[in-house]
Amino acid sequence: MKGDDGSAAARRAGVLARHLAHEMSPLSFLRPSPCLAYQPPEFHCDNSSFDKSIMRELLDGHHVDLRDSFTDLLMSSDLFTSKRVGDRVFASPNFNLTMAEQRDKTLERILFLRSEGVFKGWLSDSSVDDALKRAALFETMGIFDHSLVIKLGVHIHLWGGSIQYLGTKRHHDKWLDRTEDYQVRGCFAMSELGHGSNVRGIETVTTYDTSTEEFIIDTPCESAQKYWIGGAAQHATHTIVFSQLLIDGKNEGVHAFVCQLRDQYGRVMPGIRIADCGHKIGLNGVDNGRIWFDKVRIPRENLLNAVADVTPGGKYKSAIKDPDQRFGAFMTPLTSGRVTIAVSAIYQSKVGLTTAIRYTLTRRAFSLVPGQPEVLLLDYPSHRHRLLPLLAKTYAMSFAAVDLKYLYLNRTHADSKVIHVLSSGLKAVFSWHNLRTLQECREACGGQGLKTDNRVGQLKAEYDVQLTFEGDNNVLMQQVSKALLADYVSAKRRGKPLKGMGLEHINGSAPVVPEELNRSALRDSKFQLALFQLRERGLLELLTSQVTTLVLKGVSMTDAVISGYQVAEDLGQAFSERSVLESFLKVEQQTTGSMKDILGLLRSLYVLSSADETPVFLRYGYLTPKQSQLIHTEVDSLCGELRPQALNLVDAFGIPQAFLGPIAFDWVEYNSWSNVQ
């Protein structure tokens, strides 16, 4: 196999060398060329050096067969299939529909899934395996359409999850079965026109009337209107309202209430005003709305009271005395959202990379030697450098996403902090990675990347929202670094070693990068982990020093941390990427033989391309210019070594072929006159 790889690489290198070395004759442009004939990407890659089915199990992490059977269910309905060309069926939303039509389609698809019993047990079955099954179905739906999974996710995870985690038996008995059966259509009214990430600052106010035992919800000013509420504009019947709770003039902080928005005929309830958020750059299958509450009265029992309650006589009570901890408890539903976003971002990266790599293994450009075939796009070193590091990062992040999911689903109270910090960091890093990947894939596909049929360009617009919903990424990175800083300072003050969140490496001496690096050292997993740990440690110490210096000068701790935002964001990235690498190493340790070999190449490309692209390593002296140049050169070598397996690596993602764009297959046939309608 190694000999075959070498000869294939030599052939490709020879083609490129002749193209680059030969000076084109002006007359070559005048010679007729035979028409292009499509050749499948399999013609231009080696046989797989690893078991793709096992690799997919590692990447998906669970319930591969369930994902495939669910895909079959989707493909059985014309609600999901969009076009047939020959024997091939394509399944994607029609983004050329009007906003109203897209919303109607999303609702029809949800009703179809309900009729097939898909939602049965989603809120009543509570085992970890049940939760993993739901995750597998959500992830498969998300590959098909973001609007579908967001509208359904708001209903199940945010509305339903709030009932589950913030409510008690009276709420569970009343709402959960009706939510599963989609009789009640829920939404989640937290964000306001004037407050998004800063939930503590929301301005909606709720008071209590002891004479009627009712809460009164009010929108006191225009900036308090609920904004971007998914499902509110047309279809939601009920919502969870997050509001400041005032009891006897004292603000007890943000609490959650159940409020009906529409009656059984779809008419908006008295005292409630709803407006449409209008057309968006993506997600137009979700009916985002704005809500005003004009002193709306709801029963006392509609307070979700797992965290705090109000007696019939108007006494406020809570077992959680600390207001900060109480607020944190009310934010529980958002953690599941960040986990879900992190996972879904990686699946969209897989869609983009599968499409782009398949296309660049069939599309050619430029022949500088008359009579010789044009060069495949992926045989250009520049094209490989654009796509293959992103492929390696997507593998790494996929493994970390599975770990995050299992951590969340098996959580205990002691895990709360690490889950919050890790989900915040990975949500930010993964969603940024997704948008970068989709942009690079769009460009790598040239003009074909612009067609909505081919999905890659449209996915950018559909997933751009991930950068700011469930927490603005930049704000999340600040939260990550603040948590790390607090732990570090606390440990130093107590003279105790750091424990938790993978920071134990800081208790020992700092790693030392060898002055002279060679290929063997650069690809060594111990060196790679030490390099990421060195960066994380250095940035944490630097942030601590900056903040301490400012505090000693009389600057408040809050202002001192804010002033260090650049180092803080770099630290958040360092923490997240080190966590990702540790997940990768854990998977790699489970493998042997050729599987371990290919994972080793991917891991090395993940680490070295990250180091190559991140200015921090040079800025703060974690690498010398000479070492950085060696890493830069090694990245190019790794891209060349992975090129023969590129198709097999994206095949192992297991993206259903129907969910890919036409350019992933015979794009000549797809665009032929016979298929013009």
Side-chain angles (χ1 to χ4, degrees):
M1 179 61 72
K2 288 185 177 178
D4 292 343
D5 290 351
S7 60
R11 287 196 301 273
R12 286 190 291 272
V15 170
L16 281 173
R18 288 193 297 273
H19 281 52
L20 296 174
H22 190 89
E23 184 174 343
M24 177 179 285
S25 165
L27 296 177
S28 65
F29 286 113
L30 304 177
R31 295 170 183 162
S33 299
C35 290
L36 288 173
Y38 172 82
Q39 286 184 318
E42 289 79 5
F43 280 39
H44 307 295
C45 267
D46 292 352
N47 293 330
S48 183
S49 65
F50 59 94
D51 188 319
K52 289 187 281 189
S53 62
I54 293 177
M55 184 70 88
R56 185 185 171 195
E57 289 175 1
L58 294 173
L59 290 162
D60 282 338
H62 58 92
H63 295 103
V64 170
D65 291 341
L66 178 62
R67 295 168 194 266
D68 291 342
S69 63
F70 185 59
T71 298
D72 292 340
L73 173 63
L74 301 184
M75 297 300 295
S76 71
S77 170
D78 289 341
L79 285 168
F80 297 89
T81 57
S82 55
K83 189 170 184 177
R84 298 175 186 271
V85 177
D87 295 332
R88 187 170 296 282
V89 179
F90 293 97
S92 76
N94 183 354
F95 296 109
N96 296 316
L97 298 177
T98 65
M99 182 176 72
E101 290 170 333
Q102 288 186 56
R103 291 175 174 182
D104 289 344
K105 280 292 184 185
T106 302
L107 181 60
E108 287 177 45
R109 288 166 181 144
I110 291 175
L111 296 177
F112 167 79
L113 294 173
R114 180 186 69 175
S115 71
E116 294 293 326
V118 171
F119 309 147
K120 190 66 178 173
W122 274 20
L123 291 169
S124 53
D125 297 338
S126 57
S127 73
V128 170
D129 190 60
D130 291 323
L132 287 169
K133 288 177 181 177
R134 288 194 295 275
L137 300 184
F138 260 101
E139 288 155 19
T140 305
M141 273 188 279
I143 299 172
F144 169 75
D145 180 28
H146 200 201
S147 285
L148 173 61
V149 80
I150 288 298
K151 188 173 178 70
L152 190 55
V154 167
H155 173 72
I156 293 291
H157 291 313
L158 295 182
W159 155 268
S162 295
I163 299 291
Q164 267 188 325
Y165 300 122
L166 302 181
T168 53
K169 187 175 186 300
R170 72 188 188 207
H171 305 106
H172 301 164
D173 292 345
K174 183 173 183 178
W175 301 109
L176 291 184
D177 285 346
R178 296 164 68 195
T179 298
E180 272 189 10
D181 199 38
Y182 212 56
Q183 296 174 29
V184 166
R185 300 174 185 177
C187 62
F188 187 81
M190 177 179 282
S191 295
E192 297 179 354
L193 178 61
H195 290 87
S197 295
N198 181 19
V199 179
R200 288 179 189 266
I202 61 175
E203 297 171 292
T204 302
V205 174
T206 297
T207 54
Y208 182 69
D209 184 344
T210 54
S211 66
T212 61
E213 296 186 14
E214 293 175 313
F215 288 107
I216 304 169
I217 305 175
D218 189 51
T219 303
C221 52
E222 287 299 338
S223 59
Q225 63 181 272
K226 295 298 182 181
Y227 215 100
W228 294 124
I229 311 307
Q234 287 182 246
H235 300 138
T237 60
H238 293 71
T239 190
I240 304 294
V241 183
F242 285 82
S243 167
Q244 306 289 348
L245 174 60
L246 271 62
I247 300 294
D248 294 331
K250 180 184 178 184
N251 187 353
E252 299 290 356
V254 175
H255 289 63
F257 305 84
V258 175
C259 182
Q260 187 170 355
L261 296 179
R262 293 181 173 88
D263 65 18
Q264 60 182 323
Y265 304 106
R267 296 175 301 205
V268 176
M269 299 294 288
I272 290 174
R273 291 173 286 148
I274 296 178
D276 203 306
C277 285
H279 195 272
K280 309 178 290 288
I281 64 171
L283 278 183
N284 284 301
V286 178
D287 51 316
N288 293 90
R290 303 150 61 193
I291 311 173
W292 292 257
F293 300 92
D294 299 329
K295 301 189 183 305
V296 176
R297 288 178 172 266
I298 60 172
R300 182 184 69 87
E301 292 77 14
N302 282 24
L303 168 65
L304 296 180
N305 64 335
V307 176
D309 207 351
V310 174
T311 68
K315 297 288 186 182
Y316 182 81
K317 59 181 185 179
S318 175
I320 305 175
K321 302 305 179 185
D322 184 274
D324 291 337
Q325 292 182 9
R326 200 159 58 230
F327 174 77
F330 276 114
M331 296 301 102
T332 297
L334 294 181
T335 301
S336 68
R338 288 170 188 161
V339 173
T340 302
I341 291 167
V343 175
S344 72
I346 298 308
Y347 275 99
Q348 302 317 308
S349 296
K350 292 175 182 178
V351 173
L353 285 164
T354 302
T355 303
I357 286 176
R358 289 183 65 90
Y359 182 62
T360 57
L361 284 167
T362 63
R363 180 68 154 83
R364 297 175 179 272
F366 301 109
S367 175
L368 302 184
V369 179
Q372 290 292 322
E374 295 179 86
V375 181
L376 288 169
L377 295 182
L378 202 61
D379 279 334
Y380 284 103
S382 59
H383 235 70
R384 292 199 297 265
H385 204 139
R386 294 168 69 180
L387 295 176
L388 298 189
L390 296 172
L391 175 64
K393 291 179 181 182
T394 300
Y395 262 79
M397 293 177 188
S398 189
F399 297 143
V402 172
D403 272 359
L404 176 63
K405 201 177 347 178
Y406 273 95
L407 175 64
Y408 176 74
L409 294 176
N410 290 286
R411 66 192 179 278
T412 65
H413 180 71
D415 297 322
S416 297
K417 182 174 182 179
V418 68
I419 290 173
H420 168 69
V421 174
L422 191 58
S423 65
S424 297
L426 297 190
K427 181 265 183 183
V429 169
F430 290 8
S431 56
W432 273 326
H433 165 78
N434 182 38
L435 263 289
R436 181 194 166 192
T437 298
L438 292 173
Q439 178 64 33
E440 203 65 66
C441 289
R442 205 297 292 162
E443 293 181 37
C445 293
Q448 291 295 328
L450 294 174
K451 290 190 65 176
T452 54
D453 277 3
N454 292 325
R455 302 205 65 188
V456 179
Q458 184 65 34
L459 285 177
K460 285 196 307 163
E462 293 293 307
Y463 281 86
D464 191 285
V465 66
Q466 287 193 335
L467 307 187
T468 50
F469 76 178
E470 306 290 350
D472 177 286
N473 282 358
N474 290 284
V475 174
L476 292 179
M477 281 305 200
Q478 298 286 325
Q479 291 182 11
V480 170
S481 60
K482 283 174 67 177
L484 301 180
L485 177 65
D487 277 10
Y488 183 72
V489 171
S490 175
K492 287 289 187 183
R493 283 176 179 167
R494 294 181 292 112
K496 299 287 186 180
L498 274 165
K499 187 176 181 181
M501 294 196 288
L503 298 177
E504 290 84 357
H505 68 89
I506 296 177
N507 296 323
S509 56
V512 177
V513 177
E515 184 67 28
E516 297 297 326
L517 291 173
N518 54 30
R519 171 167 295 183
S520 176
L522 290 172
R523 298 187 182 195
D524 182 78
S525 61
K526 293 179 181 177
F527 162 77
Q528 293 166 1
L529 182 58
L531 181 63
F532 273 17
Q533 289 174 340
L534 178 64
R535 172 182 50 159
E536 182 182 26
R537 177 195 196 105
L539 290 170
L540 182 52
E541 291 173 346
L542 177 61
L543 181 61
T544 304
S545 174
Q546 289 183 351
V547 169
T548 302
T549 299
L550 290 173
V551 169
L552 290 174
K553 291 179 178 178
V555 178
S556 71
M557 175 64 78
T558 299
D559 288 342
V561 172
I562 290 174
S563 70
Y565 72 95
Q566 290 175 311
V567 175
E569 186 168 310
D570 289 336
L571 174 58
Q573 181 178 345
F575 164 80
S576 302
E577 290 183 350
R578 187 263 304 155
S579 300
V580 168
L581 176 56
E582 289 178 340
S583 290
F584 200 129
L585 290 170
K586 188 166 66 173
V587 170
E588 195 177 340
Q589 287 165 4
Q590 303 169 24
T591 64
T592 58
S594 59
M595 181 70 78
K596 193 176 187 69
D597 292 340
I598 194 73
L599 287 175
L601 292 176
L602 288 165
R603 184 240 311 140
S604 292
L605 185 53
Y606 162 61
V607 172
L608 298 183
S609 62
S610 297
D612 189 35
E613 297 163 7
T614 306
V616 161
F617 286 97
L618 276 174
R619 180 185 299 150
Y620 299 117
Y622 308 136
L623 290 170
T624 66
K626 180 181 177 182
Q627 292 166 336
S628 181
Q629 182 58 50
L630 288 170
I631 287 174
H632 182 74
T633 302
E634 193 63 21
V635 167
D636 190 58
S637 297
L638 286 162
C639 289
E641 289 179 52
L642 283 167
R643 157 63 181 88
Q645 294 297 323
L647 177 63
N648 302 312
L649 288 168
V650 294
D651 281 351
F653 287 152
I655 303 299
Q657 291 199 346
F659 293 174
L660 298 174
I663 53 170
F665 307 102
D666 189 343
W667 40 271
V668 176
E669 171 63 20
Y670 183 86
N671 287 283
S672 66
W673 180 254
S674 61
N675 287 315
V676 174
Q677 296 180 350

